[in-house]
Amino acid sequence: MKKLILILSFTLLGCSNSISENSIEKVSVDKSKKTDKIQVLNVGFFHFGSTSDATKVEFDENNTKEQEEIRKLSIQLAKFKPTIICLEYLPEIDDDINKAYQDFLKNPSELSMQYGELSMVGFDVARINGLHKVYGIDNHMGYNYSVGDFIENTPELTNAIDPVTYLEITNNPLKAYPEMEKRNNNFDNLSLLEKLALLNEPIMLDYSLNANADKLFYVGIGDNFVGADQAALFYHRNMKIYSNLNRIKMNKNDRVLILMGSAHTAMLREFIKRSPKFEMLNTLEYLK
């Protein structure tokens, strides 16, 4: 059994569009108080396919059972009734992604595995809600979130800021939350919905920010800021992702679904929750 450490974001054979759509119609749209803000459902994922992340979750997207779970997940998320779906890919390849989406629409009984969770879930939710396209909001920037580990493992280097706190966050990230740690230790045995519900718990989103950036605030050599400098690049990347979200033309009647790696979800949460433009809904309500 492998403990999940986040570093950083079904085919029901013979299933028809009407089956999924009927399932959606049985559930009303979110009943939160109507405001002039644009409603956002911000959902964190692990990557289904190949990933450059330091740790990969074992997930066989070709497995029939896993695909059935993905279909169920898509139906759950489609209950939000999004009008805009934003995915973790660069806007520059929007044409390629949307060509793949149109190809999927020609034969929706088979999930598109071309882009991992982006196409398997994102395309299917878009299909259920009758959307004509999806949007990419990612941005790529190079940064080294392992610089603290490098310093700790290099005898001639010394972390001159706060190695005790850095190592505590690295080795015992959920020490203050024993129940959450217990769920995390059992991660591999959870259903897909349970896995995603765990990833989207506020405590786990906070942890993903610590793991990807904030723990580097405790890292430096001499009087430099090598850790903070790398963390700043991660923040900068997510600021650009948020800016890409705001490039999309939308109005108060739109409903925006964002599917990204959970570290990006955690950062976007910080921007969205204090935005005068957006109202962020409770993701966990859609992962039951």
Side-chain angles (χ1 to χ4, degrees):
M1 183 183 300
K2 180 181 69 178
K3 179 178 179 181
L4 174 67
I5 298 295
L6 298 175
I7 300 294
L8 345 134
S9 174
F10 316 82
T11 301
L12 293 174
L13 295 177
C15 171
S16 67
N17 292 9
S18 61
I19 293 176
S20 296
E21 289 162 1
N22 288 340
S23 299
I24 297 304
E25 291 305 319
K26 293 177 182 178
V27 181
S28 61
V29 179
D30 184 89
K31 292 184 174 61
S32 60
K33 183 179 179 181
K34 183 66 176 176
T35 70
D36 286 336
K37 291 187 176 184
I38 298 166
Q39 294 193 327
V40 176
L41 189 64
N42 182 34
V43 187
F45 272 74
F46 60 86
H47 296 304
F48 288 0
S50 60
T51 175
S52 59
D53 291 354
T55 299
K56 183 184 185 304
V57 174
E58 292 300 325
F59 186 83
D60 182 5
E61 60 267 36
N62 294 291
N63 182 278
T64 300
K65 182 178 181 296
E66 304 279 29
Q67 291 201 359
E68 289 176 355
E69 287 197 88
I70 290 174
R71 289 284 193 186
K72 292 175 183 177
L73 169 64
S74 296
I75 290 172
Q76 288 293 104
L77 296 178
K79 293 174 184 176
F80 171 62
K81 296 186 181 293
T83 61
I84 294 172
I85 294 180
C86 299
L87 304 175
E88 190 180 336
Y89 69 85
L90 297 174
E92 293 90 321
I93 63 169
D94 190 73
D95 288 345
D96 292 339
I97 297 288
N98 277 287
K99 181 183 182 303
Y101 174 50
Q102 294 303 318
D103 290 341
F104 165 69
L105 291 179
K106 296 173 185 176
N107 184 21
S109 64
E110 294 186 13
L111 288 172
S112 171
M113 293 183 283
Q114 187 172 357
Y115 298 101
E117 72 281 0
L118 305 184
S119 55
M120 296 183 81
V121 179
F123 287 5
D124 208 29
V125 177
R127 173 191 68 81
I128 293 170
N129 285 280
L131 304 186
H132 299 295
K133 67 170 296 182
V134 295
Y135 296 84
I137 60 172
D138 197 10
N139 178 270
H140 289 173
M141 291 182 66
Y143 55 91
N144 182 5
Y145 50 69
S146 298
V147 64
D149 293 342
F150 176 77
I151 293 171
E152 290 295 333
N153 294 320
T154 304
E156 59 268 29
L157 296 179
T158 299
N159 179 1
I161 296 183
D162 185 354
V164 174
T165 301
Y166 174 80
L167 291 173
E168 182 72 12
I169 294 172
T170 299
N171 299 322
N172 300 290
L174 298 172
K175 180 180 179 180
Y177 307 99
E179 286 302 315
M180 196 67 68
E181 184 173 39
K182 182 178 178 180
R183 288 172 63 190
N184 191 37
N185 287 338
N186 191 46
F187 188 86
D188 289 341
N189 297 317
L190 302 178
S191 69
L192 178 60
L193 274 172
E194 291 170 335
K195 286 183 171 82
L196 293 178
L198 176 58
L199 294 188
N200 285 276
E201 288 276 3
I203 291 170
M204 293 301 291
L205 291 175
D206 287 344
Y207 164 60
S208 69
L209 287 184
N210 269 325
N212 282 275
D214 291 3
K215 73 176 184 177
L216 295 180
F217 300 156
Y218 306 95
V219 172
I221 301 172
D223 60 357
N224 74 18
F225 299 93
V226 61
D229 288 341
Q230 293 302 313
L233 293 174
F234 176 78
Y235 273 74
H236 193 190
R237 177 185 176 187
N238 284 279
M239 290 174 184
K240 290 184 175 183
I241 290 172
Y242 187 57
S243 292
N244 279 337
L245 171 65
N246 285 298
R247 290 180 193 276
I248 300 171
K249 302 302 180 186
M250 58 183 78
N251 59 58
K252 65 181 182 180
N253 295 316
D254 280 310
R255 299 170 65 81
V256 182
L257 174 63
I258 305 173
L259 307 181
M260 302 198 80
S262 60
H264 302 304
T265 300
M267 187 65 73
L268 290 175
R269 173 191 62 168
E270 299 304 308
F271 302 147
I272 293 170
K273 72 182 180 182
R274 58 179 181 264
S275 167
K277 177 179 179 179
F278 298 116
E279 176 188 9
M280 189 165 51
L281 302 187
N282 183 358
T283 301
L284 298 179
E285 289 297 314
Y286 291 87
L287 296 175
K288 292 181 178 178

